Amino acid sequence: MTIAALNSTSAPAILPGSGGVRGALSDLFWRKPQLLLFLMLAPPVLWLGVVYIGSLFALLAQSFFSIDEFSGLINHEFTLKTYGDLFQPANLDIILRTVTMAVLVTLASAAIAFPIAYYAARYARGRWKALFYLGIMLPLWSSYLVKIYAWKLILAKEGILTWLLAKLHLLWVLDGWLSLPVVGGNSLSVSATGTFIAFVYVWLPFMILPVQAALERVPGNLVEASSDLGASPGQTFRNVLFPLALPGIVAGSIFTFSLTLGDYIIPQIIGTSRLFIGQAVYSQQGTAGNIPLAAAFTVVPIVIMGFYLWGAKRMGAFDAL
Amino acid sequence: MRSDGSQSAPLGLKIAAACGLLFLHLPILLIFVYAFTTEEKSFVWPPPGLTTQWFAATWNRPDVWQALSLSVRVAAISTAIALILGTLCAAAVSRTKFFGRETISLLVILPIALPGIITGIALRSAFSLADIPFSFWTIVLGHATFCVVVVYNNAVARFRRTSGSMIEASMDLGADGFQTFRHVVLPNIATALLAGGMLAFALSFDEVIVTTFTAGQQQTVPIWMLEELIRPRQRPVTNVVAMVVVLVTLLPILAAYYLTRDGDQIAGSGK
């Protein structure tokens, strides 16, 4: 449109500035790109820096305060006492339980994600590829609470899983599993097993996507070469596919691990009364009113994730994101 | 197994992939069935009968409407803020190399890379330190912060594919910076922004963890649902709301997918 307008008036080779404030500003930005860059960066950096990083520091500062056990008031003096409280057996127990769950959820997600990601990366073409993509994106973006609610319905005593197992005459398996300590409970919806299933379900798409991205980069003839050289499919998987997919798996595990560490809603709705880090944070800041301890608790996943990200970076996981 | 050029997957892989996809989708489909059940109190499967009466019951619930209205308003404003901040950031990061560029991309990703509870409690403790009372705007503050990354990701990807020579050509032809932005840059990134905006909307519409910490008495739809999950009042209404929430979040996702799907055909991407 602009070009047509220019042609019809047979414009001179060098146009005069468009004039006015707009033209002056435009020229200024052209001459001083640094200024434009600064103006573009200032709003987002100010927002994220002040609102977000500022809040994180406020939180961090609170973790060095302590609570007066008699008055329940916060003592605004710097101390490491609250961090010491983290090492009480009950609190250590919470941390250990959460980390164990996060590890198990990550391993299970990787195991379930791999075939889906591999199929999508290597065999799905055209329409199927799009279908696979949507098939992973839709559950990823579906409402988190609705997904948890769906599992509450599935895992409940009267729910579909019990019904299905009864039809298959396999109820004894379920009853046997539920009678076990730690993983069992009254029904799946109030057991650690239920919490585990819900976690795996909700975070699974976060694992599939990076693994698929990593596998897309593996040339198909590498797999063919491996089998031509006489490797069994299992050997090809162990020696060729898995090492090449590992950065993707580590990248995916950043999500599954971090999200499990911080979540407090899944274990609250589907699970036992034994707390996870997120629930401890929530109850400490809410009902118990002990914000310093809540703050100290949140530092635990931050530190764990710090080490995790550092390790993941060394494994090249960030290139797979 | 020899490489005879056949591109068919082994049966085991097919079955494993199919089971994985079923695992991802069946639970969501189940919600749709439960929305029609005649059973009022419990989770009974199979449903003893099917009815549409709960849609009417949900329609007549003022608390559902209030939550929905709050969610939509929060999501709309957070999306608008995220669109501005995310686009600015993406434009700066993708066009130039400068000191601290990596730090800024980390800064944008951090609010969703760290667990939601950390973002939530950090904001809450900042509000309490600064004596800011909970309101509509405290929710927006939290939501906009983590929505920026979605817009940013979409915009950065598109900026990288849009050729810089088009912008130079526009300037050579005499357009000033604003005209170039209006007629060259904006049309090229528009669909990416629209997609990012829709994803941000869906993200905000669905966010529960940060919201529990930044909302006072107000209830967004997820907070309403959480309340129903912990202290159920009328289970069938929850089923209907759950179904509606799935539909409301799925439509923007599908739209975003179709908007960014043809990304390879962006003008100038070949250069």
Side-chain angles (χ1 to χ4, degrees):
Chain A
M1 197 185 79
T2 329
I3 299 170
L6 282 173
N7 282 340
S8 62
T9 54
S10 66
I14 298 172
L15 289 173
S18 48
V21 182
R22 204 178 94 166
L25 263 180
S26 175
D27 293 347
L28 181 67
F29 290 150
W30 183 249
R31 259 180 252 117
K32 291 195 163 65
Q34 296 297 328
L35 181 69
L36 178 62
L37 186 68
F38 174 78
L39 286 178
M40 284 199 292
L41 278 175
V45 169
L46 273 181
W47 180 288
L48 290 169
V50 173
V51 174
Y52 192 66
I53 302 296
S55 303
L56 279 183
F57 274 109
L59 178 69
L60 198 64
Q62 301 245 27
S63 71
F64 289 102
F65 297 154
S66 64
I67 195 158
D68 190 300
E69 274 147 39
F70 298 104
S71 63
L73 292 175
I74 292 166
N75 186 0
H76 291 257
E77 267 173 45
F78 283 96
T79 165
L80 286 174
K81 180 180 160 299
T82 313
Y83 281 100
D85 289 347
L86 278 185
F87 291 94
Q88 285 170 0
N91 292 338
L92 268 186
D93 207 34
I94 292 173
I95 295 170
L96 200 67
R97 177 178 309 121
T98 313
V99 172
T100 312
M101 179 62 89
V103 170
L104 292 176
V105 166
T106 300
L107 293 177
S109 304
I112 302 176
F114 196 89
I116 306 178
Y118 188 52
Y119 192 95
R122 188 159 150 75
Y123 295 104
R125 291 283 169 272
R127 188 178 291 271
W128 277 102
K129 187 122 191 154
L131 209 65
F132 255 89
Y133 180 75
L134 280 178
I136 298 157
M137 287 312 270
L138 290 184
L140 172 71
W141 283 91
S142 298
S143 167
Y144 161 82
L145 273 178
V146 170
K147 285 188 274 192
I148 301 171
Y149 181 53
W151 278 99
K152 185 88 184 166
L153 296 173
I154 293 169
L155 298 171
K157 232 187 183 105
E158 316 86 15
I160 191 167
L161 201 64
T162 316
W163 173 82
L164 192 70
L165 288 173
K167 288 269 172 199
L168 296 170
H169 304 287
L170 286 172
L171 268 186
W172 56 274
V173 178
L174 180 65
D175 289 336
W177 184 260
L178 286 176
S179 65
L180 295 174
V182 184
V183 294
N186 275 331
S187 80
L188 275 177
S189 68
V190 288
S191 69
T193 313
T195 319
F196 169 77
I197 296 174
F199 269 133
V200 171
Y201 177 76
V202 173
W203 309 142
L204 182 59
F206 291 93
M207 179 62 94
I208 300 176
L209 291 174
V211 176
Q212 185 185 342
L215 287 173
E216 301 254 353
R217 279 177 231 165
V218 180
N221 49 20
L222 219 58
V223 178
E224 283 164 13
S226 167
S227 46
D228 281 351
L229 291 167
S232 70
Q235 283 174 317
T236 304
F237 172 78
R238 268 196 308 280
N239 299 319
V240 180
L241 275 180
F242 185 74
L244 290 171
L246 197 59
I249 296 176
V250 175
S253 75
I254 294 172
F255 296 107
T256 56
F257 198 77
S258 162
L259 290 167
T260 311
L261 282 186
D263 195 90
Y264 69 95
I265 290 179
I266 290 176
Q268 186 187 5
I269 292 172
I270 302 175
T272 61
S273 54
R274 290 188 283 267
L275 295 182
F276 281 71
I277 291 179
Q279 290 167 291
V281 171
Y282 189 72
S283 64
Q284 287 299 341
Q285 71 86 32
T287 41
N290 191 346
I291 291 181
L293 186 56
F297 253 119
T298 59
V299 174
V300 176
I302 296 181
V303 169
I304 295 176
M305 282 320 292
F307 280 110
Y308 202 102
L309 289 175
W310 177 70
K313 199 177 166 83
R314 291 193 51 163
M315 292 186 67
F318 287 140
D319 304 327
L321 275 177
Chain B
M1 192 175 83
R2 294 187 37 185
S3 63
D4 46 7
S6 76
Q7 278 297 303
S8 177
L11 187 66
L13 178 65
K14 273 186 186 166
I15 294 173
C19 286
L21 281 183
L22 280 181
F23 173 66
L24 279 175
H25 286 269
L26 285 182
I28 299 173
L29 292 178
L30 194 69
I31 290 285
F32 286 70
V33 180
Y34 269 101
F36 293 94
T37 182
T38 45
E39 176 68 38
E40 197 165 332
K41 287 272 176 283
S42 65
F43 307 109
V44 172
W45 183 271
L50 297 176
T51 171
T52 51
Q53 69 176 101
W54 304 118
F55 288 84
T58 310
W59 188 270
N60 293 322
R61 285 277 291 269
D63 54 334
V64 173
W65 284 109
Q66 271 164 18
L68 191 66
S69 143
L70 181 65
S71 272
V72 169
R73 278 182 294 139
V74 166
I77 297 189
S78 309
T79 303
I81 297 174
L83 272 174
I84 297 169
L85 297 179
T87 313
L88 283 173
C89 211
V93 166
S94 61
R95 277 269 160 260
T96 31
K97 294 206 185 324
F98 56 89
F99 179 72
R101 185 160 160 248
E102 294 294 311
T103 318
I104 285 175
S105 18
L106 182 70
L107 187 66
V108 175
I109 294 168
L110 209 57
I112 60 161
L114 286 179
I117 193 163
I118 295 176
T119 310
I121 193 174
L123 287 171
R124 192 186 184 102
S125 56
F127 293 153
S128 82
L129 283 183
D131 271 327
I132 302 172
F134 294 118
S135 70
F136 173 79
W137 292 104
T138 51
I139 309 179
V140 169
L141 206 67
H143 283 207
T145 303
F146 61 73
C147 282
V148 172
V149 64
V150 192
V151 177
Y152 170 84
N153 275 344
N154 272 276
V156 149
R158 184 63 62 84
F159 271 125
R160 291 210 174 114
R161 282 207 304 260
T162 309
S163 168
S165 53
M166 288 192 15
I167 291 163
E168 284 162 19
S170 161
M171 299 295 229
D172 285 349
L173 289 167
D176 66 28
F178 298 97
Q179 285 171 322
T180 302
F181 179 76
R182 166 80 186 76
H183 295 291
V184 178
V185 179
L186 202 57
N188 266 304
I189 62 166
T191 50
L193 291 190
L194 200 56
M198 284 180 173
L199 294 178
F201 189 93
L203 193 65
S204 163
F205 192 82
D206 188 39
E207 168 55 46
V208 55
I209 294 186
V210 174
T211 320
T212 48
F213 286 97
T214 53
Q217 295 304 311
Q218 317 98 309
Q219 281 190 327
T220 58
V221 171
I223 300 284
W224 181 92
M225 271 206 71
L226 184 63
E227 193 72 14
E228 290 293 313
L229 284 177
I230 296 166
R231 278 176 288 275
R233 280 174 291 179
Q234 208 178 2
R235 180 92 50 203
V237 172
T238 316
N239 295 335
V240 173
V241 173
M243 188 183 114
V244 172
V245 166
V246 169
L247 293 177
V248 167
T249 40
L250 286 199
L251 294 179
I253 305 312
L254 280 174
Y257 169 72
Y258 281 104
L259 284 172
T260 47
R261 185 184 48 159
D262 303 322
D264 303 335
Q265 279 96 52
I266 300 301
S269 65
K271 279 143 225 154

